[in-house]
């Protein structure tokens, strides 16, 4: 039996708040403690803390389109909250919560950081090998998106049901299992 949609929305929002708080705290610490000219080595040159201000999207794409990225982030936030109101799947709540928290984290940078409102540069600070520098919000968005794609591939819908399977098929399968 699926949990009420209200409980799943609370779970989604809880995940989002935790991700947002972790992102905000780590960015404040990164700006205060990391000198952009002097990265902090964690594991040799492979893992470092390197302060970078990113005006673009992931991998510094669309660097001249910061205001568009801000509007896209606002649309994502609205869309996730709208979908979240009908959720019955805990896994979908987790995935959407990760995406929402990450989107909010980077959106706050775009709104409040320099060079100005809706044009702010996102604070990135984690550097791993050849991968572009990222932050907690970026990690949450990527992990949430991977989870949502996996749920879709495995046919799990936001309402907790399996895609393409009617309730009659599910009940017949349960009856069959019980008869064995």
């Amino acid at each position: 039996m699926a949990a009420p949609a209200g409980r799943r929305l609370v779970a989604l929002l809880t995940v989002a708040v935790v991700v947002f708080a972790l992102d905000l705290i780590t960015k404040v610490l990164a700006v205060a403690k990391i000198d952009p000219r002097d990265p902090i080595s964690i594991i040799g040159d492979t893992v470092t803390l390197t302060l970078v201000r990113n005006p673009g999207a992931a991998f510094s794409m669309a660097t001249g389109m910061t205001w568009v990225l801000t509007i896209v982030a606002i649309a994502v936030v609205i869309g996730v909250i709208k979908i979240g109101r009908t959720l019955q799947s805990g896994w979908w709540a987790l995935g959407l919560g990760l995406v929402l928290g990450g989107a909010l984290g980077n959106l706050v940078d775009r709104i409040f950081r320099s060079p100005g409102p809706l044009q702010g540069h996102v604070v990135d600070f984690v550097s791993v090998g050849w991968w572009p520098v990222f932050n907690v919000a970026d990690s949450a968005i990527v992990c949430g998106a991977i989870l949502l794609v996996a749920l879709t591939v495995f046919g799990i819908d936001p309402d907790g049901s399996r895609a393409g399977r009617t309730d009659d098929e599910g009940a017949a399968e349960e009856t069959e299992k019980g008869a064995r």
Side-chain angles (χ1 to χ4, degrees):
M1 181 181 291
R7 281 188 29 210
R8 296 305 181 203
L9 179 60
V10 169
L12 182 157
L13 294 175
T14 301
V15 170
V17 166
V18 168
V19 168
F20 176 73
L22 286 172
D23 183 63
L24 184 61
I25 290 166
T26 56
K27 286 176 179 173
V28 167
L29 289 171
V31 169
K33 304 288 184 185
I34 302 171
D35 180 347
R37 298 167 307 237
D38 188 22
I40 300 170
S41 175
I42 305 297
I43 302 175
D45 288 341
T46 305
V47 180
T48 62
L49 299 179
T50 306
L51 186 61
V52 174
R53 308 282 181 143
N54 181 359
F59 313 118
S60 295
M61 294 186 298
T63 55
M65 305 292 284
T66 305
W67 66 273
V68 173
L69 298 172
T70 303
I71 291 171
V72 168
I74 291 169
V76 167
V77 168
I78 292 168
V80 168
I81 291 171
K82 205 169 190 180
I83 292 169
R85 295 173 60 208
T86 63
L87 276 183
Q88 292 185 7
S89 165
W91 289 109
W92 273 87
L94 175 60
L96 289 170
L98 289 167
V99 170
L100 178 61
L104 286 171
N106 285 339
L107 180 60
V108 165
D109 281 3
R110 295 203 186 284
I111 292 172
F112 295 108
R113 291 201 188 268
S114 64
L118 303 180
Q119 298 176 34
H121 295 182
V122 173
V123 172
D124 290 333
F125 58 92
V126 180
S127 177
V128 179
W130 53 268
W131 200 255
V133 181
F134 60 95
N135 59 40
V136 172
D138 297 335
S139 296
I141 292 167
V142 169
C143 291
I146 290 169
L147 177 56
L148 296 175
V149 167
L151 291 170
T152 302
V153 166
F154 290 111
I156 300 171
D157 288 335
D159 68 1
S161 67
R162 290 255 180 198
R165 189 170 96 173
T166 65
D167 286 340
D168 292 340
E169 290 171 341
E173 187 176 296
E174 291 301 316
T175 304
E176 213 174 282
K177 283 181 185 175
R180 288 186 201 160

